[in-house]
Amino acid sequence: MEVFWRIKGRVQRVGYRRWAIAKAVEIGGISGYVYNSPTGDVLIAADGQNDKIYDFMQACFKGPFFARVDSIDYNPDLKQFFPTIEKGVFKTIR
């Protein structure tokens, strides 16, 4: 299952990207990218089994300690902002 999310709230300058990478690795089986949008949101492209993507999304609602997540919006149009997802890799893009 491939998903594209826009995460809104206080999600930049709080270690959200680094946290998201660590969380994806911890859950395992999730490939994708995380990106700081110029609008102040964090964008995530993720691919994996449905249950792992669901667990990742639930974790993303909490985020790192200093984050405040107001919403996670699924938007397949965000695919245009990301390179093709490489299996077995979850990393940040700038």
Coordinates of all heavy atoms in Angstrom, one line a residue:
M1 N 0.8 -1.2 0.0 CA 0.0 0.0 0.0 C 0.9 1.2 0.0 O 1.7 1.4 0.9 CB -0.9 0.0 1.2 CG -1.6 1.3 1.5 SD -2.5 1.2 3.1 CE -4.1 1.8 2.5
E2 N 0.7 2.1 -1.0 CA 1.5 3.3 -1.1 C 0.6 4.5 -0.7 O -0.5 4.6 -1.1 CB 1.9 3.5 -2.6 CG 3.0 4.5 -2.8 CD 3.4 4.6 -4.2 OE1 2.7 5.0 -5.1 OE2 4.6 4.1 -4.5
V3 N 1.1 5.3 0.3 CA 0.4 6.5 0.8 C 1.2 7.7 0.7 O 2.4 7.7 0.7 CB -0.1 6.2 2.2 CG1 -1.1 5.1 2.3 CG2 1.0 6.0 3.2
F4 N 0.5 8.8 0.6 CA 1.1 10.2 0.6 C 0.4 11.0 1.6 O -0.8 11.3 1.4 CB 1.1 10.7 -0.8 CG 1.8 9.9 -1.8 CD1 1.1 8.9 -2.5 CD2 3.1 10.0 -2.0 CE1 1.7 8.0 -3.4 CE2 3.8 9.2 -2.9 CZ 3.1 8.2 -3.6
W5 N 1.1 11.5 2.6 CA 0.4 12.3 3.7 C 1.0 13.7 3.8 O 2.2 13.9 3.6 CB 0.7 11.6 5.0 CG 0.1 10.3 5.2 CD1 -1.1 9.8 4.7 CD2 0.7 9.2 5.9 NE1 -1.3 8.5 5.1 CE2 -0.2 8.1 5.8 CE3 1.8 9.1 6.7 CZ2 0.0 6.9 6.5 CZ3 2.1 7.9 7.3 CH2 1.2 6.8 7.2
R6 N 0.2 14.6 4.1 CA 0.6 16.0 4.6 C 0.3 16.1 6.0 O -0.8 15.9 6.5 CB -0.2 17.1 3.8 CG 0.2 18.5 4.3 CD -0.5 19.6 3.5 NE -0.3 19.5 2.1 CZ 0.8 20.1 1.5 NH1 1.7 20.7 2.2 NH2 0.9 20.0 0.2
I7 N 1.3 16.3 6.8 CA 1.2 16.3 8.3 C 1.3 17.8 8.7 O 2.3 18.5 8.4 CB 2.2 15.5 9.0 CG1 2.1 14.0 8.5 CG2 2.1 15.6 10.5 CD1 3.2 13.1 9.0
K8 N 0.2 18.3 9.3 CA 0.1 19.7 9.7 C 0.2 19.8 11.2 O -0.2 19.0 12.0 CB -1.2 20.3 9.2 CG -1.4 20.3 7.7 CD -2.7 20.9 7.3 CE -2.8 20.9 5.8 NZ -4.1 21.5 5.4
G9 N 0.7 21.0 11.6 CA 0.9 21.3 13.1 C 2.3 21.8 13.3 O 2.9 22.4 12.4
R10 N 2.8 21.7 14.5 CA 4.1 22.1 14.8 C 5.0 20.8 14.6 O 5.2 20.0 15.5 CB 4.3 22.5 16.3 CG 5.7 23.1 16.6 CD 5.8 23.6 18.0 NE 5.6 22.5 19.0 CZ 4.7 22.6 20.0 NH1 3.9 23.7 20.1 NH2 4.5 21.6 20.8
V11 N 5.4 20.7 13.3 CA 6.1 19.5 12.9 C 7.5 19.8 12.2 O 8.2 18.8 11.8 CB 5.3 18.7 11.9 CG1 4.1 18.0 12.7 CG2 4.8 19.5 10.7
Q12 N 7.9 21.0 12.2 CA 9.2 21.4 11.7 C 10.0 22.0 12.8 O 9.4 22.6 13.7 CB 9.2 22.3 10.5 CG 8.6 21.7 9.2 CD 8.9 22.5 8.0 OE1 9.6 23.5 8.0 NE2 8.2 22.2 6.9
R13 N 11.3 21.7 12.8 CA 12.2 22.2 13.9 C 12.0 21.5 15.2 O 12.3 22.1 16.3 CB 12.2 23.7 14.0 CG 12.5 24.4 12.6 CD 12.6 25.9 12.7 NE 13.7 26.4 13.5 CZ 14.9 26.5 13.1 NH1 15.2 26.2 11.8 NH2 15.9 27.0 13.9
V14 N 11.4 20.3 15.1 CA 11.2 19.5 16.4 C 11.7 18.1 16.2 O 11.5 17.2 17.0 CB 9.7 19.5 16.8 CG1 9.2 20.8 17.2 CG2 8.8 18.9 15.6
G15 N 12.5 17.8 15.1 CA 13.1 16.5 14.9 C 12.1 15.5 14.3 O 12.3 14.3 14.3
Y16 N 11.0 16.0 13.6 CA 10.0 15.1 13.1 C 10.6 14.2 12.0 O 10.3 13.0 12.0 CB 8.8 15.9 12.6 CG 7.6 15.1 12.5 CD1 6.6 15.1 13.5 CD2 7.4 14.2 11.4 CE1 5.5 14.3 13.4 CE2 6.2 13.4 11.3 CZ 5.3 13.5 12.3 OH 4.2 12.7 12.3
R17 N 11.4 14.7 11.1 CA 11.9 13.9 10.0 C 12.8 12.8 10.5 O 12.6 11.6 10.2 CB 12.7 14.7 9.0 CG 11.8 15.6 8.1 CD 12.6 16.3 7.1 NE 13.5 17.2 7.8 CZ 14.6 17.8 7.2 NH1 14.9 17.5 6.0 NH2 15.4 18.6 7.9
R18 N 13.7 13.1 11.4 CA 14.6 12.1 12.0 C 13.8 11.1 12.8 O 14.0 9.9 12.7 CB 15.6 12.8 12.9 CG 16.6 11.9 13.5 CD 17.7 12.6 14.4 NE 17.1 13.8 15.0 CZ 17.6 15.0 14.8 NH1 18.5 15.3 13.9 NH2 17.1 16.0 15.5
W19 N 12.8 11.6 13.5 CA 11.9 10.7 14.3 C 11.1 9.7 13.3 O 11.0 8.5 13.6 CB 10.9 11.5 15.1 CG 9.9 10.6 15.8 CD1 10.0 10.1 17.0 CD2 8.6 10.3 15.3 NE1 8.9 9.3 17.3 CE2 8.0 9.4 16.2 CE3 8.0 10.5 14.1 CZ2 6.8 8.9 16.0 CZ3 6.7 10.0 13.9 CH2 6.1 9.2 14.9
A20 N 10.6 10.3 12.2 CA 9.8 9.4 11.3 C 10.7 8.3 10.7 O 10.2 7.2 10.5 CB 9.2 10.3 10.2
I21 N 11.9 8.7 10.4 CA 12.8 7.6 9.8 C 13.0 6.5 10.9 O 12.9 5.4 10.5 CB 14.1 8.3 9.4 CG1 13.9 9.2 8.2 CG2 15.2 7.2 9.1 CD1 15.1 10.1 7.9
A22 N 13.3 6.9 12.1 CA 13.6 5.9 13.1 C 12.3 5.1 13.4 O 12.4 3.9 13.6 CB 14.0 6.6 14.4
K23 N 11.1 5.7 13.3 CA 9.9 5.0 13.6 C 9.6 4.0 12.4 O 9.2 2.9 12.7 CB 8.7 6.0 13.7 CG 7.4 5.3 14.1 CD 7.5 4.5 15.4 CE 7.7 5.3 16.6 NZ 7.6 4.4 17.9
A24 N 9.9 4.4 11.2 CA 9.7 3.5 10.1 C 10.6 2.3 10.2 O 10.2 1.2 9.9 CB 9.9 4.3 8.8
V25 N 11.8 2.5 10.6 CA 12.8 1.4 10.7 C 12.4 0.5 11.9 O 12.4 -0.7 11.8 CB 14.2 2.0 10.9 CG1 15.2 0.9 11.4 CG2 14.7 2.7 9.7
E26 N 11.9 1.1 13.0 CA 11.5 0.4 14.1 C 10.3 -0.5 13.8 O 10.3 -1.7 14.2 CB 11.0 1.3 15.3 CG 10.5 0.7 16.5 CD 10.0 1.7 17.5 OE1 10.7 2.7 17.7 OE2 8.9 1.4 18.1
I27 N 9.3 0.0 13.1 CA 8.2 -0.8 12.7 C 8.6 -1.9 11.7 O 8.2 -3.0 11.7 CB 7.0 0.1 12.1 CG1 6.4 1.0 13.2 CG2 6.0 -0.7 11.4 CD1 5.5 2.0 12.7
G28 N 9.5 -1.5 10.7 CA 10.0 -2.4 9.7 C 9.1 -2.6 8.5 O 7.9 -2.4 8.7
G29 N 9.6 -2.9 7.4 CA 8.9 -3.1 6.2 C 8.2 -1.9 5.6 O 7.3 -2.0 4.8
I30 N 8.7 -0.7 5.9 CA 8.2 0.5 5.4 C 9.3 1.2 4.6 O 10.4 1.4 5.1 CB 7.6 1.5 6.5 CG1 6.5 0.8 7.2 CG2 7.2 2.8 5.9 CD1 6.0 1.6 8.4
S31 N 9.0 1.5 3.3 CA 9.9 2.3 2.5 C 9.3 3.6 2.2 O 8.1 3.8 2.2 CB 10.1 1.5 1.2 OG 10.5 0.2 1.4
G32 N 10.2 4.6 1.9 CA 9.6 5.9 1.5 C 10.5 7.1 1.8 O 11.7 6.9 2.0
Y33 N 9.9 8.2 1.9 CA 10.6 9.5 2.1 C 9.8 10.4 3.0 O 8.6 10.3 3.1 CB 10.7 10.2 0.8 CG 11.5 9.5 -0.3 CD1 10.8 8.7 -1.3 CD2 12.8 9.4 -0.3 CE1 11.5 8.0 -2.2 CE2 13.5 8.7 -1.2 CZ 12.8 8.0 -2.2 OH 13.5 7.3 -3.1
V34 N 10.5 11.3 3.7 CA 9.9 12.4 4.5 C 10.6 13.7 4.1 O 11.8 13.7 3.7 CB 10.1 12.1 6.0 CG1 11.6 11.9 6.4 CG2 9.4 13.1 6.8
Y35 N 9.8 14.7 4.0 CA 10.2 16.0 3.4 C 9.6 17.2 4.2 O 8.4 17.1 4.5 CB 9.8 16.0 1.9 CG 9.9 17.3 1.2 CD1 11.2 17.8 0.9 CD2 8.8 18.0 0.9 CE1 11.3 19.0 0.2 CE2 8.9 19.2 0.2 CZ 10.2 19.7 -0.2 OH 10.3 20.9 -0.8
N36 N 10.4 18.2 4.5 CA 9.9 19.4 5.0 C 9.3 20.3 3.9 O 10.1 20.8 3.1 CB 10.9 20.2 5.8 CG 11.1 19.7 7.2 OD1 10.3 18.9 7.7 ND2 12.1 20.2 7.9
S37 N 8.0 20.6 3.9 CA 7.4 21.4 2.9 C 7.7 22.9 3.2 O 7.8 23.3 4.4 CB 5.9 21.2 2.9 OG 5.2 22.2 2.2
P38 N 7.8 23.8 2.2 CA 8.0 25.2 2.5 C 6.8 25.8 3.2 O 7.0 26.9 3.8 CB 8.2 25.8 1.1 CG 8.5 24.7 0.2 CD 7.9 23.4 0.8
T39 N 5.7 25.2 3.3 CA 4.5 25.7 3.9 C 4.5 25.4 5.4 O 3.6 25.8 6.2 CB 3.2 25.1 3.3 OG1 3.3 23.7 3.6 CG2 3.1 25.4 1.9
G40 N 5.6 24.7 5.9 CA 5.7 24.4 7.3 C 5.1 23.0 7.7 O 5.2 22.6 8.9
D41 N 4.6 22.3 6.7 CA 4.1 20.9 6.9 C 5.2 19.9 6.7 O 6.3 20.3 6.1 CB 2.9 20.6 6.0 CG 1.8 21.6 6.1 OD1 1.6 22.1 7.2 OD2 1.2 21.9 5.0
V42 N 5.0 18.7 7.1 CA 5.9 17.6 6.7 C 5.1 16.7 5.7 O 3.9 16.4 6.0 CB 6.3 16.8 8.0 CG1 7.0 15.5 7.6 CG2 7.3 17.6 8.8
L43 N 5.8 16.3 4.6 CA 5.2 15.4 3.7 C 5.8 14.1 3.8 O 7.1 14.0 3.9 CB 5.4 15.9 2.2 CG 4.9 17.4 2.0 CD1 5.2 17.7 0.5 CD2 3.5 17.6 2.3
I44 N 5.0 13.0 3.7 CA 5.5 11.6 3.8 C 5.0 10.8 2.7 O 3.8 10.9 2.4 CB 5.2 11.0 5.1 CG1 6.0 11.6 6.3 CG2 5.4 9.5 5.1 CD1 5.7 11.0 7.7
A45 N 5.9 10.1 2.0 CA 5.5 9.1 1.0 C 5.9 7.7 1.7 O 7.1 7.6 2.1 CB 6.2 9.3 -0.3
A46 N 5.0 6.8 1.8 CA 5.4 5.5 2.4 C 4.7 4.4 1.7 O 3.6 4.5 1.1 CB 4.9 5.5 3.9
D47 N 5.4 3.3 1.7 CA 4.9 2.1 1.0 C 5.2 0.9 1.9 O 6.3 0.8 2.5 CB 5.6 1.9 -0.3 CG 5.0 0.7 -1.1 OD1 3.8 0.5 -1.0 OD2 5.8 0.1 -1.9
G48 N 4.3 0.0 2.1 CA 4.4 -1.2 2.9 C 3.1 -1.9 3.1 O 2.1 -1.5 2.5
Q49 N 3.1 -3.0 3.9 CA 1.9 -3.7 4.1 C 0.9 -2.8 4.9 O 1.3 -2.0 5.7 CB 2.2 -5.0 4.9 CG 3.0 -6.0 4.2 CD 3.4 -7.2 5.1 OE1 3.3 -7.1 6.3 NE2 3.8 -8.2 4.5
N50 N -0.4 -3.1 4.6 CA -1.4 -2.3 5.2 C -1.3 -2.1 6.7 O -1.4 -1.0 7.3 CB -2.8 -2.8 4.9 CG -3.2 -2.7 3.5 OD1 -2.4 -2.1 2.7 ND2 -4.3 -3.2 3.1
D51 N -1.0 -3.2 7.5 CA -1.0 -3.1 8.9 C 0.2 -2.3 9.4 O 0.1 -1.5 10.3 CB -0.9 -4.5 9.5 CG 0.2 -5.4 9.1 OD1 0.7 -5.2 7.9 OD2 0.7 -6.3 9.8
K52 N 1.3 -2.4 8.7 CA 2.5 -1.6 9.0 C 2.3 -0.1 8.7 O 2.7 0.8 9.5 CB 3.8 -2.1 8.3 CG 4.1 -3.5 8.8 CD 5.4 -4.0 8.2 CE 5.7 -5.4 8.7 NZ 6.3 -5.4 10.1
I53 N 1.6 0.2 7.6 CA 1.3 1.6 7.3 C 0.4 2.2 8.3 O 0.5 3.3 8.7 CB 0.7 1.7 5.8 CG1 1.8 1.3 4.8 CG2 0.1 3.1 5.6 CD1 3.0 2.3 4.7
Y54 N -0.6 1.4 8.7 CA -1.6 1.8 9.8 C -0.8 2.1 11.1 O -1.0 3.2 11.7 CB -2.6 0.7 10.0 CG -3.6 1.1 11.1 CD1 -4.6 2.0 10.8 CD2 -3.5 0.6 12.4 CE1 -5.5 2.4 11.8 CE2 -4.3 1.0 13.4 CZ -5.4 1.9 13.1 OH -6.2 2.3 14.1
D55 N 0.1 1.2 11.5 CA 0.9 1.4 12.7 C 1.7 2.7 12.6 O 1.8 3.5 13.5 CB 1.8 0.2 13.0 CG 1.0 -1.0 13.4 OD1 -0.2 -0.9 13.7 OD2 1.6 -2.1 13.4
F56 N 2.3 2.9 11.4 CA 3.1 4.1 11.2 C 2.3 5.4 11.2 O 2.7 6.3 11.9 CB 3.8 4.0 9.8 CG 4.8 5.0 9.5 CD1 5.8 5.4 10.4 CD2 4.8 5.7 8.3 CE1 6.7 6.4 10.1 CE2 5.7 6.6 7.9 CZ 6.7 7.0 8.9
M57 N 1.1 5.3 10.6 CA 0.2 6.5 10.7 C -0.2 6.8 12.1 O -0.2 8.0 12.5 CB -1.0 6.3 9.8 CG -1.9 7.5 9.8 SD -3.5 7.3 8.9 CE -4.3 6.1 9.9
Q58 N -0.5 5.8 12.9 CA -0.9 6.0 14.3 C 0.3 6.7 15.1 O 0.1 7.6 15.9 CB -1.3 4.7 15.0 CG -2.6 4.2 14.4 CD -3.8 5.1 14.5 OE1 -4.0 5.7 15.6 NE2 -4.5 5.4 13.4
A59 N 1.5 6.2 14.8 CA 2.7 6.8 15.5 C 2.9 8.2 15.0 O 3.2 9.1 15.8 CB 3.9 5.9 15.2
C60 N 2.6 8.5 13.7 CA 2.8 9.8 13.2 C 1.9 10.9 13.8 O 2.2 12.0 13.8 CB 2.7 9.8 11.6 SG 4.2 9.1 10.8
F61 N 0.7 10.4 14.2 CA -0.2 11.3 14.9 C 0.4 11.8 16.2 O 0.1 12.9 16.7 CB -1.5 10.7 15.2 CG -2.5 10.8 14.2 CD1 -2.9 9.8 13.4 CD2 -3.1 12.1 13.9 CE1 -3.9 9.9 12.4 CE2 -4.1 12.3 12.9 CZ -4.4 11.2 12.2
K62 N 1.3 11.0 16.9 CA 2.0 11.4 18.1 C 3.2 12.2 17.8 O 3.4 13.3 18.4 CB 2.3 10.2 19.0 CG 1.0 9.6 19.5 CD 1.4 8.4 20.4 CE 0.1 7.7 20.9 NZ 0.4 6.6 21.8
G63 N 4.1 11.7 16.9 CA 5.3 12.3 16.6 C 6.3 12.4 17.7 O 6.1 11.8 18.8
P64 N 7.4 13.1 17.5 CA 8.4 13.3 18.6 C 7.9 14.1 19.7 O 6.8 14.8 19.6 CB 9.6 13.9 17.9 CG 9.0 14.6 16.7 CD 7.8 13.8 16.3
F65 N 8.6 14.2 20.8 CA 8.2 14.9 22.0 C 7.7 16.3 21.8 O 6.6 16.7 22.4 CB 9.3 14.8 23.1 CG 8.9 15.4 24.4 CD1 8.1 14.7 25.2 CD2 9.3 16.6 24.8 CE1 7.7 15.2 26.5 CE2 8.9 17.2 26.0 CZ 8.1 16.4 26.9
F66 N 8.4 17.1 21.1 CA 8.0 18.5 21.0 C 7.1 18.8 19.8 O 6.7 20.0 19.6 CB 9.3 19.4 20.8 CG 10.1 19.4 22.1 CD1 11.3 18.8 22.2 CD2 9.7 20.1 23.2 CE1 12.1 18.8 23.4 CE2 10.4 20.2 24.4 CZ 11.6 19.5 24.5
A67 N 6.7 17.8 19.1 CA 5.8 18.0 18.0 C 4.3 18.2 18.5 O 4.0 17.7 19.6 CB 5.9 16.9 17.0
R68 N 3.5 18.8 17.7 CA 2.1 18.8 17.9 C 1.4 18.6 16.5 O 1.5 19.4 15.6 CB 1.6 20.2 18.4 CG 0.1 20.2 18.7 CD -0.5 21.6 18.9 NE -0.6 22.2 17.6 CZ 0.1 23.3 17.2 NH1 0.9 23.9 18.0 NH2 -0.1 23.8 16.0
V69 N 0.8 17.4 16.3 CA 0.2 17.1 15.0 C -1.2 17.5 15.1 O -2.0 17.0 15.9 CB 0.4 15.6 14.7 CG1 -0.3 15.2 13.5 CG2 1.9 15.2 14.6
D70 N -1.6 18.4 14.2 CA -3.0 18.8 14.1 C -3.8 17.9 13.2 O -5.0 17.6 13.4 CB -3.2 20.2 13.6 CG -2.5 21.2 14.6 OD1 -2.5 20.9 15.8 OD2 -2.1 22.3 14.2
S71 N -3.2 17.4 12.1 CA -3.9 16.6 11.2 C -2.9 15.8 10.3 O -1.8 16.3 10.1 CB -4.9 17.4 10.3 OG -4.2 18.2 9.4
I72 N -3.4 14.7 9.8 CA -2.7 14.0 8.7 C -3.7 13.8 7.6 O -4.7 13.1 7.8 CB -2.2 12.6 9.2 CG1 -1.1 12.8 10.3 CG2 -1.5 11.8 8.0 CD1 -0.6 11.5 10.9
D73 N -3.4 14.4 6.5 CA -4.3 14.3 5.3 C -3.7 13.4 4.2 O -2.5 13.6 3.8 CB -4.5 15.7 4.7 CG -5.1 16.7 5.7 OD1 -5.9 16.3 6.5 OD2 -4.6 17.9 5.7
Y74 N -4.4 12.5 3.8 CA -4.0 11.6 2.7 C -4.3 12.4 1.4 O -5.4 12.9 1.2 CB -4.8 10.3 2.7 CG -4.6 9.5 1.5 CD1 -3.4 8.8 1.3 CD2 -5.5 9.4 0.5 CE1 -3.2 8.0 0.2 CE2 -5.3 8.6 -0.7 CZ -4.1 7.9 -0.8 OH -3.9 7.2 -1.9
N75 N -3.3 12.4 0.5 CA -3.4 13.2 -0.7 C -2.5 12.5 -1.8 O -1.3 12.8 -1.8 CB -3.0 14.6 -0.5 CG -3.2 15.5 -1.7 OD1 -3.4 15.0 -2.9 ND2 -3.2 16.8 -1.6
P76 N -3.1 11.7 -2.7 CA -2.3 11.1 -3.7 C -1.6 12.0 -4.7 O -0.7 11.7 -5.3 CB -3.3 10.2 -4.4 CG -4.7 10.6 -4.0 CD -4.5 11.4 -2.7
D77 N -2.1 13.3 -4.7 CA -1.5 14.3 -5.6 C -0.1 14.6 -5.1 O 0.7 15.2 -5.9 CB -2.3 15.5 -5.7 CG -3.6 15.3 -6.5 OD1 -3.7 14.3 -7.3 OD2 -4.6 16.1 -6.2
L78 N 0.3 14.3 -3.9 CA 1.6 14.6 -3.4 C 2.7 13.8 -4.0 O 3.9 14.0 -3.9 CB 1.6 14.5 -1.8 CG 0.8 15.4 -1.0 CD1 0.8 15.1 0.5 CD2 1.3 16.9 -1.2
K79 N 2.3 12.7 -4.7 CA 3.2 11.8 -5.3 C 4.2 12.6 -6.2 O 5.3 12.2 -6.3 CB 2.5 10.7 -6.1 CG 3.3 9.7 -6.7 CD 2.5 8.6 -7.4 CE 3.5 7.5 -7.8 NZ 2.7 6.3 -8.2
Q80 N 3.7 13.6 -6.8 CA 4.6 14.4 -7.7 C 5.8 15.0 -7.1 O 6.8 15.4 -7.7 CB 3.7 15.5 -8.4 CG 3.2 16.6 -7.4 CD 2.4 17.6 -8.1 OE1 2.6 17.9 -9.3 NE2 1.4 18.1 -7.4
F81 N 5.8 15.2 -5.7 CA 6.9 15.8 -5.0 C 8.0 14.8 -4.6 O 9.0 15.2 -4.1 CB 6.4 16.5 -3.7 CG 5.5 17.6 -4.0 CD1 4.1 17.5 -3.8 CD2 6.0 18.9 -4.5 CE1 3.2 18.6 -4.0 CE2 5.1 19.9 -4.7 CZ 3.8 19.8 -4.5
F82 N 7.7 13.5 -4.9 CA 8.7 12.5 -4.4 C 9.2 11.7 -5.6 O 8.6 11.5 -6.6 CB 8.0 11.5 -3.5 CG 7.5 12.2 -2.2 CD1 6.2 12.6 -2.0 CD2 8.4 12.3 -1.1 CE1 5.8 13.2 -0.8 CE2 8.0 12.9 0.1 CZ 6.7 13.3 0.2
P83 N 10.5 11.3 -5.4 CA 11.0 10.3 -6.4 C 10.3 9.0 -6.2 O 9.6 8.8 -5.2 CB 12.5 10.2 -6.0 CG 12.6 10.7 -4.7 CD 11.5 11.6 -4.4
T84 N 10.5 8.0 -7.1 CA 10.0 6.7 -7.0 C 10.5 6.1 -5.7 O 11.7 6.2 -5.4 CB 10.4 5.8 -8.2 OG1 9.9 6.5 -9.4 CG2 9.8 4.4 -8.1
I85 N 9.6 5.5 -4.9 CA 10.0 4.9 -3.6 C 10.9 3.6 -3.9 O 10.5 2.7 -4.6 CB 8.7 4.5 -2.8 CG1 8.0 5.8 -2.4 CG2 9.1 3.7 -1.6 CD1 6.6 5.5 -1.7
E86 N 12.0 3.6 -3.2 CA 13.0 2.5 -3.3 C 12.6 1.5 -2.2 O 12.5 1.9 -1.0 CB 14.4 3.0 -3.1 CG 14.9 4.0 -4.0 CD 16.3 4.5 -3.6 OE1 17.2 3.7 -3.3 OE2 16.4 5.7 -3.5
K87 N 12.4 0.3 -2.5 CA 12.1 -0.7 -1.5 C 13.2 -0.9 -0.5 O 14.4 -0.9 -0.9 CB 11.8 -2.1 -2.2 CG 10.6 -2.1 -3.1 CD 9.3 -2.0 -2.3 CE 8.1 -2.1 -3.2 NZ 6.9 -1.7 -2.5
G88 N 12.9 -0.9 0.7 CA 13.9 -1.1 1.8 C 14.6 0.1 2.2 O 15.5 0.1 3.0
V89 N 14.2 1.3 1.7 CA 14.8 2.6 2.1 C 13.7 3.5 2.6 O 12.7 3.7 1.9 CB 15.5 3.2 0.9 CG1 16.1 4.5 1.2 CG2 16.6 2.3 0.3
F90 N 14.0 4.2 3.7 CA 13.1 5.3 4.2 C 14.1 6.4 4.6 O 14.9 6.2 5.5 CB 12.3 4.8 5.4 CG 11.2 5.8 5.7 CD1 9.9 5.6 5.1 CD2 11.4 7.0 6.4 CE1 8.9 6.5 5.3 CE2 10.4 7.9 6.6 CZ 9.1 7.7 6.1
K91 N 14.0 7.5 3.9 CA 15.0 8.6 4.2 C 14.4 9.9 3.9 O 13.3 10.0 3.4 CB 16.2 8.4 3.3 CG 16.0 8.4 1.8 CD 17.2 8.2 1.1 CE 17.0 8.2 -0.5 NZ 18.2 7.9 -1.2
T92 N 15.1 10.9 4.3 CA 14.6 12.3 4.1 C 15.1 12.8 2.7 O 16.1 12.3 2.2 CB 15.2 13.2 5.2 OG1 14.6 14.5 5.1 CG2 16.7 13.4 5.2
I93 N 14.3 13.7 2.2 CA 14.8 14.4 1.0 C 14.7 15.9 1.2 O 13.9 16.3 2.0 CB 14.0 14.0 -0.3 CG1 12.5 14.2 -0.1 CG2 14.2 12.6 -0.7 CD1 11.7 14.1 -1.4
R94 N 15.5 16.6 0.6 CA 15.5 18.1 0.8 C 15.0 18.8 -0.3 O 15.0 18.5 -1.4 CB 17.0 18.5 1.1 CG 17.4 17.8 2.4 CD 18.7 18.5 2.9 NE 19.2 17.7 4.0 CZ 18.9 17.8 5.3 NH1 18.0 18.7 5.6 NH2 19.4 17.1 6.2

